[in-house]
C-alpha cells in the first residue's frame, strides 16, 4: 500500500485520482495548490507524487523542483498531469525532475498503469530490494562512478549525487555495459521493460540531466557518449 500526494486545482480530478488509488489499496492526501502540498511534503512521508502542472501559487513544475531539493522527497517518483500537449512542455516537466508525464484528458486505466509502473521502480525501505535482508548489494563501479542499486545511490568521484528513478535506471544500464551502444528503444526495453510509458524523446532528456550531474563538462561528456544516428553508450573503460 502506498501513500500518495495528489495535487490538482480541479477538485473533481483530484477526487477521481484518489478514488482509483483507493481501489488498489493506496491512501492519498489531496491538495488544490502547490504551496500547501509542499508544506505537507515536509511533514508527511509519500511514496508517489501526482502533480498538476497548472497550479495556483506554486505551479507543478516549480513544486517538482522543490520536492527534488528536499531530502525526504528527492527520490520519490513524480507524475505530472497537464492539459498542455506541446512537446516543449513535456521536456520542461521532465527537466524539472519528474519521472513521467500524462496529458489531460487521460483514461483512468492509463493513469493507474503508470502509477503501478512508478511504484514498482521505487522499492520501499525495508523490502528485499532495498537490501535489508542481507543480500549482496548490486553495485556497479565504473570510471569514478559507484552505482549502488540497493541504496539507489550514485557516487561520482566520492561525491553523492541525487538521481531520479529514471536517471538511475538509464545510468545503471549504460555503466554496466561499457562500450555497448544502445539505441533509445533498446535502452527503454533494458531499463524498464515493455510495460513503460517512457518515450525516446524522454531518454534524450534523461541523458541530458545525467550529464549535468556526472560530467565535468556536460557540453563535452567523457562518460555518457552519443553515437550519432544510433544512440548512447558509456565509454569503454576498466572497472574502477
Amino acid at each position: 500500500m502506498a501513500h500518495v500526494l495528489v495535487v490538482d486545482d480541479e477538485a473533481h480530478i483530484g477526487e477521481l485520482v484518489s478514488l482509483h488509488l483507493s481501489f488498489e489499496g493506496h491512501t492519498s492526501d489531496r491538495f488544490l495548490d502547490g504551496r500547501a502540498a509542499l508544506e505537507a511534503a515536509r511533514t508527511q512521508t509519500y511514496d508517489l507524487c501526482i502533480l498538476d502542472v497548472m497550479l495556483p501559487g506554486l505551479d507543478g513544475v516549480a513544486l517538482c523542483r522543490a520536492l527534488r531539493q528536499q531530502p525526504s522527497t528527492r527520490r520519490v517518483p513524480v507524475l505530472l498531469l497537464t492539459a498542455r500537449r506541446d512537446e516543449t512542455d513535456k521536456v520542461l516537466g521532465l527537466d524539472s525532475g519528474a519521472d513521467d508525464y500524462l496529458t489531460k484528458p487521460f483514461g483512468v486505466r492509463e493513469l493507474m498503469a503508470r502509477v503501478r509502473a512508478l511504484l514498482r521502480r521505487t522499492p520501499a525501505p525495508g523490502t528485499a530490494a532495498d537490501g535489508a535482508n542481507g543480500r549482496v548489494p548490486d553495485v556497479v563501479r565504473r570510471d569514478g562512478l559507484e552505482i549502488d542499486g540497493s541504496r539507489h545511490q550514485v557516487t561520482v568521484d566520492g561525491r553523492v549525487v541525487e538521481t531520479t528513478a529514471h536517471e538511475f535506471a538509464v545510468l545503471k544500464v549504460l555503466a554496466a555495459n561499457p562500450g555497448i551502444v544502445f539505441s533509445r528503444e533498446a535502452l527503454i526495453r533494458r531499463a524498464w521493460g515493455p510495460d513503460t510509458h517512457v518515450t525516446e524523446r524522454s531518454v534524450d532528456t534523461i541523458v541530458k540531466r545525467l550529464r549535468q550531474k556526472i560530467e565535468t563538462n556536460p557540453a563535452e561528456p567523457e562518460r555518457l557518449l552519443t553515437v550519432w544516428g544510433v544512440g548512447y553508450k558509456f565509454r569503454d573503460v576498466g572497472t574502477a
Side-chain angles (χ1 to χ4, degrees), residues 184-201:
R184 292 165 179 81
E185 180 182 357
L187 194 53
I188 290 170
R189 289 199 308 269
R190 189 69 173 270
W192 300 287
D195 183 19
T196 184
H197 301 279
V198 178
T199 66
E200 293 189 11
R201 179 67 182 273

Side-chain angles (χ1 to χ4, degrees), residues 79 90 94 99-102 110 112-118 120-121 165-166 169-170 184-200 202-203 206:
L79 171 62
K90 182 174 183 179
L94 294 172
D99 295 282
D100 205 352
Y101 191 104
L102 187 58
E110 181 179 10
M112 296 311 300
R114 297 195 183 203
V115 166
R116 288 191 292 271
L118 288 172
R120 280 198 301 271
R121 294 176 203 141
H166 280 12
V170 167
R184 292 165 179 81
E185 180 182 357
L187 194 53
I188 290 170
R189 289 199 308 269
R190 189 69 173 270
W192 300 287
D195 183 19
T196 184
H197 301 279
V198 178
T199 66
E200 293 189 11
S202 299
V203 171
I206 292 166

Side-chain angles (χ1 to χ4, degrees), residues 4-229:
V4 184
L5 176 66
V6 179
V7 192
D8 198 306
D9 63 338
E10 297 181 81
H12 67 284
I13 293 181
E15 291 170 2
L16 177 68
V17 172
S18 291
L19 176 64
H20 284 273
L21 287 170
S22 70
F23 289 161
E24 298 201 6
H26 307 308
T27 60
S28 62
D29 293 338
R30 293 199 313 272
F31 295 91
L32 299 174
D33 69 271
R35 295 192 185 282
L38 183 59
E39 287 300 316
R42 288 172 175 156
T43 59
Q44 300 292 320
T45 300
Y46 294 104
D47 303 295
L48 173 67
C49 299
I50 301 176
L51 317 177
D52 183 31
V53 170
M54 300 297 291
L55 293 171
L58 186 69
D59 66 43
V61 171
L63 175 56
C64 183
R65 290 197 179 104
L67 292 172
R68 287 292 174 248
Q69 294 172 359
Q70 187 168 292
S72 62
T73 53
R74 62 180 46 160
R75 295 177 184 169
V76 176
V78 173
L79 171 62
L80 288 181
L81 306 178
T82 181
R84 297 176 175 176
R85 295 179 176 272
D86 191 277
E87 187 74 10
T88 302
D89 294 314
K90 182 174 183 179
V91 171
L92 177 64
L94 294 172
D95 272 340
S96 73
D99 295 282
D100 205 352
Y101 191 104
L102 187 58
T103 303
K104 297 178 180 180
F106 52 81
V108 171
R109 291 179 63 184
E110 181 179 10
L111 169 69
M112 296 311 300
R114 297 195 183 203
V115 166
R116 288 191 292 271
L118 288 172
L119 290 175
R120 280 198 301 271
R121 294 176 203 141
T122 311
T127 64
D130 194 53
N133 63 348
R135 290 180 0 186
V136 176
D138 181 12
V139 179
V140 175
R141 293 184 178 90
R142 194 80 62 198
D143 195 22
L145 299 182
E146 181 175 285
I147 305 162
D148 189 334
S150 65
R151 297 181 180 180
H152 190 91
Q153 179 174 289
V154 176
T155 305
V156 182
D157 298 325
R159 172 179 55 89
V160 175
V161 299
E162 298 298 336
T163 60
T164 67
H166 280 12
E167 292 166 0
F168 188 87
V170 167
L171 181 59
K172 187 175 180 182
V173 169
L174 292 174
N177 299 276
I180 303 300
V181 181
F182 288 86
S183 68
R184 292 165 179 81
E185 180 182 357
L187 194 53
I188 290 170
R189 289 199 308 269
R190 189 69 173 270
W192 300 287
D195 183 19
T196 184
H197 301 279
V198 178
T199 66
E200 293 189 11
R201 179 67 182 273
S202 299
V203 171
D204 294 335
T205 300
I206 292 166
V207 170
K208 177 183 175 183
R209 293 202 313 249
L210 278 171
R211 284 172 172 164
Q212 292 170 345
K213 296 180 179 183
I214 72 169
E215 300 284 2
T216 302
N217 181 0
E220 297 181 5
E222 297 180 350
R223 292 181 171 112
L224 296 185
L225 306 179
T226 299
V227 181
W228 297 107

